Amino acid sequence: MGGLILGIRRKTIVEFSFLLAVPTMLAATCLDLYKNAGSFSADQMGFLLVGFVVSFVAALAAVKFLLNFIKHHTFIPFGLYRIGIVLLFFAILLLR
C-alpha cells in the first residue's frame, strides 16, 4: 500500500517485496539448519536437497504467476480476500 501511495508501479512493488523476502527466508533457513543439523542423518540429506529444489522451483513458478497476474489485475481481490480471512479469524475467536 505504501508503494501505491507513493506512485510506484505494482510490478516494481511486487518485485521489491520478493527481493526483500529472499534474504529473510535464507537467514531463517540457515538458522534452522544450524540449530538442527545434528538431527539429520546422511540419508536424510538427500531428502532435504530434493525438498529444497522442489520448493525453489515452485517458488519461482509462483513469483512468475504473480508478476504476470498483477500486469492485468489490481490488488483489490487480494485485499478483499485478506479482509475476509481476518473477519473469519475474529469470528472464530469470538465464538470460542
Side-chain angles (χ1 to χ4, degrees):
M1 288 300 301
L4 290 175
I5 291 170
L6 293 173
I8 301 172
R9 296 178 329 172
R10 286 185 307 220
K11 183 175 186 258
T12 305
I13 296 167
V14 172
E15 287 174 346
F16 176 75
S17 295
F18 284 121
L19 287 174
L20 195 61
V22 169
T24 305
M25 290 187 294
L26 181 62
T29 301
C30 289
L31 179 63
D32 190 34
L33 285 173
Y34 175 74
K35 285 182 175 181
N36 299 307
S39 62
F40 292 112
S41 69
D43 296 337
Q44 293 173 328
M45 289 300 176
F47 290 118
L48 187 63
L49 182 62
V50 169
F52 172 78
V53 170
V54 170
S55 64
F56 182 77
V57 170
L60 286 178
V63 168
K64 184 175 181 176
F65 168 78
L66 185 58
L67 287 175
N68 190 33
F69 181 83
I70 63 158
K71 288 179 186 175
H72 308 289
H73 300 86
T74 66
F75 288 130
I76 292 172
F78 179 69
L80 293 174
Y81 156 77
R82 298 291 298 242
I83 291 169
I85 293 294
V86 166
L87 292 175
L88 180 65
F89 175 76
F90 280 124
I92 290 170
L93 275 179
L94 292 175
L95 293 175
R96 289 182 111 191

